[in-house]
Amino acid sequence: MRVRFAPSPTGHLHVGNARTALFNWLLARGQQGTFILRIEDTDLERSTKASEQAILDDLRWMGLQWDEGVEAGGSFGPYRQTERLRNYADHAARLLADGTGYYCFCSAETLDAQRKAQLAAALPPKYAGTCRNIPAAEAFARKAGGEPAVIRLRVPERREVAFTDVVRGLVTFHTDVIGDPVLVRSDGIPAYNFAVVIDDAEMEVTHVIRGEDHISNTPRQILVYEAFGYTPPAFAHLSLVMGPDHAPLSKRHGATSVREFREKGYLPESLVNYLALIGWSPGQNEELLPAEELARRFRLENVAHSAGVFDEDKLAWVNRHYLKLCAPDRLAELAEPHLRARGQVVGPLSAAARDWLEQVLPAMATSVDRLPQLADRLEAVFRPAGGPLESEPGLAEVASALAAELAGGLRLIDKDTFRAMAGRVKDRTGLKGKALFHPIRVILTGAAEGPELDLILPAIDRAAELSDSGLAPVASCQQRAQFATGLLNP
Ligand code: GLU
């Protein structure tokens, strides 16, 4: 089995296309097949190296490594269409020679006028066939004389083109609705429907898995296979990924590209696992499974042909699961850019600061959906001491008691130290429960809400002891208590 993902490098990798890549990858991995990556860059105006690189980078980030293709090599290369122009020209020459292809000299204006006339007559627009019957010798002479021409495929009349789509079942098109498609443009650049067939045939692709937006191209491509006597591959057209309103997922729904979800702080394994669940199910009432297990269970035949809706809440649920499983050192590494963006990390991290992050972050990861929320949780550590303290019942007493308790240099380095100290503050003030812990929280973390006190206060005091760590400076609990006392008991 040989499958391929064939992106056009004209923008970021859309999650719908990422799902197409994933389904190809799952099939290849699960069936010991070969996953090929081919770059379809024949749209010279819109293709860029930068977006090619971004697509490769996103695929690698998702862990969808390809066995053959650009940057990986293989014996069916080159894998970039602009490096295969010779193959397309040779193939076009074959079709011109046997008459299955012909030169068309119609100008853009002529074609446009014909199209408008057809639409006005309520006819489906298709090429009128003007140049179909120009005698070959005359057409070759005009072309040799410098007249610009495209090459079209002579589509057989009054015929059905049928194929059994692995996902959608039998699909039939009548050739009478298919105008003779352009195979090669006047500048010599092949059209998608031509290049894709030659490449899939030459690369010995056995299964073409792509978005259903290509389904109307498939009969045209089958006719091109026929024109060369090639056997078409199996086709599977995946339903598109929709937004919550059942319109194709687009910018107006919010994030659409792999890059954006990556920047929002989703883990690659979360996106992969979630995308696999759109229109497919691993069965046995299980959803959260590693990619290799998804691949083991994946069957193209079980992909739903109804549209799948992208549900970011569900993605967040999947991400919570993987954040909890994430190893501390990896979590620290993944979180670092987000902490840096918030000014919580300001320089190169020392080994001690890294240890600190590896201790603190896993505890916080149990209650967040996405990586940047780890920075929200850490605000309690990095908030400067003595933010505006509203006068509240108990605040002044608790501040004095805390300052007294911490004055001797006591560091709240763990849960037990904190709990013992809180017990003594309770004795000093006579306050308990919320009346005690709310003021402690406000004074020491600068906010009414945040992570568990017995988690965050040790985090604060351990960070306060670090110096030249790469973390932003952290005031100790003692400094915070003293500052608040000064403010509240003038
Ligand atoms: N370059 C095409 C696209 O990105 C590939 C379609 C196909 O897989 O045949 O839509």
Side-chain angles (χ1 to χ4, degrees):
M1 162 177 301
R2 292 172 57 81
V3 298
R4 87 305 192 270
F5 178 55
S8 301
T10 54
H12 277 311
L13 183 61
H14 187 279
V15 286
N17 286 335
R19 172 169 161 271
T20 299
L22 173 62
F23 281 22
N24 276 285
W25 183 90
L26 288 172
L27 189 65
R29 275 295 162 281
Q31 317 287 313
Q32 282 73 51
T34 301
F35 177 47
I36 304 165
L37 179 68
R38 180 173 73 228
I39 295 293
E40 303 207 326
D41 58 349
T42 53
D43 183 338
L44 304 180
E45 279 97 67
R46 294 174 57 232
S47 298
T48 66
K49 269 279 163 221
S51 67
E52 177 182 318
Q53 275 310 315
I55 291 169
L56 301 194
D57 189 49
D58 286 343
L59 291 171
R60 288 193 177 110
W61 177 76
M62 289 176 73
L64 306 184
Q65 189 52 52
W66 49 100
D67 308 300
E68 249 180 57
V70 288
E71 295 188 4
S75 36
F76 296 82
Y79 293 92
R80 208 175 269 109
Q81 288 190 324
T82 49
E83 294 166 18
R84 302 175 62 81
L85 298 179
R86 193 62 256 155
N87 302 31
Y88 311 130
D90 290 348
H91 276 81
R94 277 160 67 181
L95 294 189
L96 286 172
D98 71 11
T100 326
Y102 65 89
Y103 283 123
C104 165
F105 302 94
C106 294
S107 67
E109 295 73 42
T110 308
L111 295 173
D112 199 45
Q114 280 174 357
R115 203 186 131 77
K116 286 195 177 123
Q118 285 166 341
L119 285 172
L123 293 168
K126 73 171 218 194
Y127 176 61
T130 320
C131 298
R132 235 180 181 239
N133 298 317
I134 299 175
E138 182 189 328
F140 278 79
R142 282 170 69 178
K143 171 71 179 149
E147 204 174 326
V150 302
I151 300 171
R152 287 186 188 269
L153 178 72
R154 192 181 304 279
V155 170
E157 287 164 88
R158 289 179 293 282
R159 242 199 67 190
E160 304 228 294
V161 182
F163 60 98
T164 304
D165 189 289
V166 186
V167 172
R168 315 171 67 86
L170 184 68
V171 180
T172 311
F173 285 85
H174 203 280
T175 55
D176 288 359
V177 300
I178 304 175
D180 292 351
V182 172
L183 303 180
V184 182
R185 301 192 326 203
S186 55
D187 57 4
I189 300 294
Y192 157 69
N193 278 321
F194 188 54
V196 76
V197 169
I198 294 161
D199 290 348
D200 285 339
E202 292 194 323
M203 293 179 187
E204 296 177 14
V205 168
T206 57
H207 295 69
V208 166
I209 304 162
R210 60 185 170 204
E212 71 174 351
D213 48 331
H214 285 292
I215 200 154
S216 63
N217 285 320
T218 304
R220 292 169 175 78
Q221 293 174 18
I222 289 176
L223 292 169
V224 176
Y225 281 100
E226 285 181 6
F228 290 108
Y230 293 148
T231 310
F235 291 100
H237 290 90
L238 306 175
S239 60
L240 299 184
V241 174
M242 303 294 180
D245 58 354
H246 291 262
L249 186 71
S250 72
K251 277 278 152 242
R252 79 196 154 77
H253 296 110
T256 57
S257 67
V258 169
R259 192 56 58 105
E260 286 166 293
F261 287 102
R262 181 174 170 177
E263 280 163 5
K264 284 178 90 168
Y266 291 100
L267 304 186
E269 60 268 42
S270 308
L271 190 61
V272 162
N273 195 156
Y274 175 64
L275 288 177
L277 302 177
I278 303 182
W280 178 69
S281 159
Q284 299 168 24
N285 275 330
E286 290 174 291
E287 295 196 296
L288 300 171
L289 294 166
E292 294 299 333
E293 179 59 17
L294 295 172
R296 210 180 58 74
R297 298 193 193 184
F298 187 77
R299 295 288 175 281
L300 205 45
E301 295 74 17
N302 298 344
V303 172
H305 93 236
S306 54
V309 171
F310 192 93
D311 174 359
E312 193 170 343
D313 290 340
K314 181 146 184 191
L315 172 61
W317 171 76
V318 174
N319 206 44
R320 276 202 294 283
H321 170 75
Y322 285 106
L323 279 169
K324 283 183 203 133
L325 295 184
C326 194
D329 53 344
R330 177 167 173 241
L331 189 64
E333 202 162 301
L334 291 170
E336 194 185 316
H338 300 279
L339 310 188
R340 224 171 255 288
R342 291 291 180 90
Q344 298 174 341
V345 173
V346 292
L349 286 170
S350 69
R354 209 162 273 288
D355 283 348
W356 179 83
L357 284 173
E358 288 177 20
Q359 275 211 317
V360 172
L361 293 174
M364 304 202 162
T366 59
S367 60
V368 303
D369 290 346
R370 296 182 289 112
L371 294 167
Q373 292 165 353
L374 290 170
D376 298 343
R377 310 294 282 169
L378 283 187
E379 281 294 295
V381 173
F382 293 97
R383 217 173 267 127
L389 286 177
E390 304 274 329
S391 159
E392 283 182 48
L395 216 53
E397 296 97 289
V398 172
S400 308
L402 279 172
E405 282 298 330
L406 296 170
L410 176 68
R411 293 276 183 261
L412 305 178
I413 45 151
D414 56 26
K415 280 182 195 203
D416 292 340
T417 329
F418 161 65
R419 284 181 194 154
M421 188 228 44
R424 294 192 299 273
V425 173
K426 175 182 165 195
D427 294 342
R428 278 182 190 263
T429 58
L431 296 167
K432 59 180 182 195
K434 194 167 186 299
L436 172 68
F437 289 103
H438 175 73
I440 294 182
R441 174 181 292 284
V442 171
I443 291 159
L444 297 183
T445 74
E449 272 162 18
E452 306 284 315
L453 283 178
D454 55 8
L455 190 75
I456 200 72
L457 300 183
I460 289 173
D461 268 357
R462 277 184 287 110
E465 281 171 0
L466 301 172
S467 56
D468 282 333
S469 66
L471 296 175
V474 172
S476 67
C477 289
Q478 189 211 349
Q479 288 168 323
R480 293 170 191 222
Q482 236 168 23
F483 200 91
T485 313
L487 220 68
L488 296 163
N489 303 313

